[in-house]
């Protein structure tokens, strides 16, 4: 059933508010407080309003999974078939059509799949791969993050299943050229995602790699579960947080592929506003903690910018 005008107007309002709240978010995270989780927990845990500390794996799952819940609900129960599915002469609901050697794919389904793929990684795979002794997360962080993911999960999923119908993608040369912006955006998304996942892998394996190096040198490494190390990888050559850079690039590609819709632009800007201050805090933390921090690693997240 098509979305009512009131629902679409509400979606537009919530997308606008999501964009506007990026301003206070940036000011708070850049000049007032460092988000108190991960390496930044220990210095700030004496503030009573942070609440109790929660298991990191569970907390990460709980505050990321609302995105997947919204995708599931909109995909199965709350969609407009005329928007989400391909036109079909026999009224069957298809996201892929193969006729006369021509393959067509619903662009809406592709974009929703990109969003889903990212959050399968962030809500399920990433927490499962986290160290069991990862720093615990204050309740206030989980609550704030959960509010944002509930909000954003709705505006992205509703937009792609109820509001905007994109022309389908095809593998023919003429179709690729006609939809070149969407294809470029999809490529940018996957480049960003690969950078994000690879960088997270480097960070996750730092302790194991350090201990293996010490064993090869014939020395014993002290097993401190909360000890941090300098990451070394081509992705870390010039910036301290390529994992954050990759995620920003993902959502820029998502916005490009979505023809810079309000909801995707709002999400891209909010992600940047949220991640850049955190990357800057990481960068300063690294420089203060390690005297031998690489001099060529001059930027936090975006070379020549931040």
């Amino acid at each position: 059933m098509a979305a009512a005008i009131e629902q679409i107007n509400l979606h537009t309002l919530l997308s606008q508010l999501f964009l506007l709240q990026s301003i206070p978010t940036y000011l708070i995270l850049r000049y007032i407080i460092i988000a108190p989780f991960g390496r930044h927990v220990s210095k700030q845990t004496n503030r009573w309003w942070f609440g109790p500390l929660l298991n990191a794996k569970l907390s990460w799952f709980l505050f990321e999974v609302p995105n997947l819940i919204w995708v599931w609900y909109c995909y199965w129960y709350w969609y407009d078939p005329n928007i989400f599915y391909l036109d079909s002469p026999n009224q069957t609901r298809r996201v892929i059509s193969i006729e006369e050697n021509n393959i067509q794919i619903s662009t809406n389904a592709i974009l929703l799949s990109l969003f889903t793929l990212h959050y399968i990684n962030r809500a399920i795979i990433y927490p499962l791969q986290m160290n069991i002794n990862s720093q615990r997360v204050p309740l206030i962080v989980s609550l704030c993050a959960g509010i944002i993911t509930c909000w954003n999960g709705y505006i992205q999923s509703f937009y792609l299943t109820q509001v905007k119908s994109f022309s389908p993608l095809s593998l023919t040369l003429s179709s690729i050229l006609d939809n070149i912006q969407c294809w470029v955006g999809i490529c940018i998304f996957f480049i960003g995602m690969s950078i994000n996942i690879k960088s997270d892998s480097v960070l996750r394996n730092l302790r194991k790699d350090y201990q293996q190096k010490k064993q090869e040198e014939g020395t014993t490494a002290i097993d401190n579960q909360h000890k941090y190390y300098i990451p070394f990888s081509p992705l870390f050559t010039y910036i301290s947080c390529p994992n954050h850079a990759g995620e920003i690039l993902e959502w820029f590609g998502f916005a490009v592929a979505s023809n810079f819709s309000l909801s995707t632009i709002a999400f891209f800007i909010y992600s940047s506003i949220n991640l850049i201050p955190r990357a800057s805090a990481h960068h300063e933390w690294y420089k203060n903690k390690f005297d031998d921090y690489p001099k060529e690693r001059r930027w936090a997240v975006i070379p020549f910018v931040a």
Side-chain angles (χ1 to χ4, degrees):
M1 182 181 295
I5 296 298
E6 293 80 6
Q7 291 176 327
I8 294 178
N9 289 340
L10 175 62
H11 173 270
T12 300
L13 175 62
L14 290 175
S15 298
Q16 292 169 339
L17 291 175
F18 194 84
L19 178 59
L20 289 174
Q21 58 95 26
S22 297
I23 298 173
T25 297
Y26 177 78
L27 295 176
I28 291 170
L29 294 179
R30 187 68 180 92
Y31 299 108
I32 298 177
I33 188 173
I34 299 172
F37 66 96
R39 71 198 65 190
H40 303 292
V41 168
S42 58
K43 295 181 180 180
Q44 307 179 84
T45 49
N46 58 339
R47 303 187 184 188
W48 64 267
W49 50 273
F50 283 0
L53 298 177
L54 307 179
N55 176 272
K57 287 173 173 277
L58 177 62
S59 178
W60 203 278
F61 169 76
L62 291 176
F63 68 63
E64 294 283 23
V65 79
N67 290 291
L68 295 179
I69 294 174
W70 271 115
V71 168
W72 166 78
Y73 182 72
C74 288
Y75 178 78
W76 287 105
Y77 300 108
W78 202 24
Y79 60 87
D80 179 356
N82 296 319
I83 287 177
F84 189 74
Y85 292 103
L86 298 172
D87 292 334
S88 174
N90 56 6
Q91 301 301 310
T92 57
R93 295 175 179 176
R94 298 181 297 178
V95 295
I96 300 177
S97 173
I98 303 175
E99 296 179 357
E100 298 180 355
N101 297 323
N102 181 32
I103 301 176
Q104 285 192 327
I105 308 173
S106 166
T107 303
N108 292 61
I110 291 176
L111 295 174
L112 191 65
S113 296
L114 297 183
F115 186 76
T116 305
L117 185 63
H118 174 86
Y119 282 105
I120 287 175
N121 178 57
R122 300 308 288 177
I124 300 174
I125 298 174
Y126 182 77
L128 289 174
Q129 293 176 327
M130 291 175 70
N131 189 307
I132 194 171
N133 295 303
S134 294
Q135 294 275 15
R136 297 172 74 84
V137 180
L139 177 62
I140 187 65
V141 172
S142 298
L143 289 176
C144 291
I147 291 171
I148 291 298
T149 55
C150 285
W151 189 351
N152 183 60
Y154 161 74
I155 63 175
Q156 304 306 327
S157 302
F158 183 85
Y159 182 78
L160 292 172
T161 57
Q162 291 265 15
V163 178
K164 172 66 175 178
S165 179
F166 294 93
S167 60
L169 296 181
S170 175
L171 298 181
T172 62
L173 179 60
S174 60
S175 176
I176 292 174
L177 293 176
D178 289 341
N179 296 283
I180 190 65
Q181 179 177 323
C182 186
W183 285 109
V184 169
I186 291 171
C187 290
I188 294 172
F189 177 91
F190 279 111
I191 291 171
M193 189 173 191
S194 64
I195 292 172
N196 176 258
I197 292 175
K198 176 60 179 176
S199 301
D200 278 342
S201 176
V202 170
L203 293 170
R204 188 169 54 250
N205 290 306
L206 278 175
R207 185 178 295 108
K208 182 178 69 176
D209 293 344
Y210 175 79
Q211 292 173 344
Q212 182 178 352
K213 179 180 178 181
K214 287 297 183 182
Q215 289 176 356
E216 292 173 353
E217 293 174 351
T219 57
T220 302
I222 299 175
D223 188 16
N224 183 344
Q225 294 296 333
H226 296 303
K227 186 180 173 97
Y228 290 91
Y229 307 93
I230 300 174
F232 288 98
S233 167
L235 294 172
F236 289 84
T237 302
Y238 299 110
I239 59 177
S240 294
C241 301
N243 51 329
H244 295 336
E247 187 163 350
I248 291 171
L249 191 61
E250 276 185 78
W251 300 126
F252 174 70
F254 190 65
V256 171
S258 303
N259 199 27
F260 297 106
S261 66
L262 173 61
S263 56
T264 56
I265 280 291
F267 185 32
F268 163 64
I269 291 177
Y270 177 80
S271 296
S272 303
I273 289 302
N274 181 50
L275 293 173
I276 288 174
R278 184 154 187 84
S280 297
H282 285 357
H283 185 62
E284 292 303 317
W285 183 90
Y286 275 124
K287 291 195 298 182
N288 292 331
K289 186 170 181 65
F290 299 104
D291 293 333
D292 57 343
Y293 197 63
K295 301 298 183 184
E296 67 273 13
R297 203 174 297 180
R298 297 170 52 193
W299 295 280
V301 63
I302 304 174
F304 308 104
V305 177

